[in-house]
Amino acid sequence: MLVLTRKVGERVLIGDDIVVTILDSRGDGIRIGIDAPRGVRIQRDEVIKAITEANQEASEAAATDDAEALIKKSLGL
């Protein structure tokens, strides 16, 4: 991992076509801007984790619902 110290307005270049610009610094957080080609996906890690967890929970709930339906059907309920 590369760790850098940057000031507002300074940039970091990633490859030939991705530019990360420090826009603002507030207390313990910063605002960054990312300029990248349209084909490059840019995602926040915490959002991806939340979506993955929600999908797993929904899948498990659906599997439980399906199992209950099959049991009821087999019992003629």
Side-chain angles (χ1 to χ4, degrees):
M1 174 186 298
L2 173 64
V3 179
L4 301 170
T5 301
R6 301 276 77 197
K7 295 179 182 177
V8 173
E10 292 183 330
R11 297 176 174 191
V12 175
L13 305 175
I14 302 173
D16 293 330
D17 53 4
I18 300 173
V19 179
V20 179
T21 304
I22 308 305
L23 301 175
D24 191 17
S25 175
R26 297 180 185 171
D28 63 346
I30 62 167
R31 292 182 65 215
I32 62 172
I34 302 169
D35 185 16
R38 283 192 176 267
V40 175
R41 290 181 41 188
I42 301 171
Q43 302 290 335
R44 290 179 13 200
D45 182 56
E46 63 274 11
V47 172
I48 297 299
K49 286 180 182 177
I51 290 170
T52 301
E53 289 174 8
N55 286 341
Q56 286 176 338
E57 290 174 7
S59 175
E60 291 169 3
T64 301
D65 291 345
D66 290 343
E68 289 177 11
L70 289 172
I71 292 169
K72 288 180 180 179
K73 183 177 180 182
S74 68
L75 296 174
L77 299 175

